[in-house]
Amino acid sequence: LNNLPLRMNKLLFLIVMSPIFLIAQDPMPVKNNNTIIVKGVEFAKVKEVLLDAGFFLDQQSAEDGTIITKRKGFCECPNKEFYQLVYYIRVKDSIVTIKGKFSQAAQVKLFNDHPNTDDKDDFSDVFYWKSKNTSYNYLFGIMMGFAKSLNGSGIEYKTQ
């Protein structure tokens, strides 16, 4: 009986603080999300962060707010495959929309200095998949890392 006020205080604290904890957490993507929205970021900042991350720009238009990167290779994924990732980005009214496409490249071609595919039909959309050991989850994680590095005011995940 002596601990009743202490228990009530703890319960009251949890009830009052739980909405704050929910607001403070980043939203998480759900299966098949293929688009990341970052709010509060300008076009120049997106270019700067892309270049700092080692991406080269294939096409860009500040007037239209669009950026398409050249493909960049990643091979630190669970199944040790090598993937090429391309970002398709639109910036409008300080809202960044990020989509990605990827292609699985044969490492033999890379080591033998053969050209990789440039055919956009050979590229697949990147989307979130809950299974941890998939290329989709790995590559969407890279996109999430990029989105967070923009330091925007908020991030959302969508299926478009």
Side-chain angles (χ1 to χ4, degrees), residues 35-141:
T35 305
I36 303 173
I37 308 293
V38 184
K39 297 177 181 175
V41 181
E42 298 294 327
F43 185 83
K45 175 71 173 179
V46 175
K47 278 181 43 178
E48 176 187 330
V49 172
L50 279 169
L51 293 171
D52 288 348
F55 278 89
F56 293 99
L57 307 182
D58 189 26
Q59 299 173 25
Q60 64 173 317
S61 171
E63 183 178 328
D64 297 332
T66 57
I67 299 172
I68 300 174
T69 65
K70 290 186 180 274
R71 61 183 182 227
K72 180 178 177 185
F74 293 92
C75 65
E76 297 174 8
C77 44
N79 55 9
K80 304 297 182 216
E81 297 291 335
F82 187 86
Y83 298 100
Q84 299 176 83
L85 177 62
V86 175
Y87 283 127
Y88 293 82
I89 299 171
R90 172 95 158 105
V91 183
K92 183 178 180 183
D93 300 327
S94 300
I95 298 174
V96 182
T97 303
I98 304 166
K99 290 187 172 204
K101 289 190 176 255
F102 78 100
S103 175
Q104 185 173 356
Q107 289 187 10
V108 173
K109 287 184 181 179
L110 293 173
F111 292 134
N112 290 333
D113 204 30
H114 287 93
N116 293 304
T117 182
D118 279 323
D119 186 355
K120 298 297 186 216
D121 292 335
D122 290 341
F123 283 72
S124 302
D125 290 334
V126 176
F127 58 88
Y128 181 77
W129 196 259
K130 286 190 175 190
S131 178
K132 299 292 181 201
N133 293 329
T134 65
S135 56
Y136 296 107
N137 188 353
Y138 171 71
L139 293 165
F140 199 84

Side-chain angles (χ1 to χ4, degrees), residues 136-156:
Y136 296 107
N137 188 353
Y138 171 71
L139 293 165
F140 199 84
I142 291 170
M143 290 173 52
M144 287 171 54
F146 166 69
K148 289 177 182 178
S149 73
L150 293 172
N151 294 321
S153 60
I155 295 179
E156 298 174 16

Side-chain angles (χ1 to χ4, degrees), residues 23-43:
I23 292 169
Q25 292 178 344
D26 284 337
M28 290 301 296
V30 296
K31 186 176 176 182
N32 293 328
N33 282 161
N34 65 348
T35 305
I36 303 173
I37 308 293
V38 184
K39 297 177 181 175
V41 181
E42 298 294 327
F43 185 83

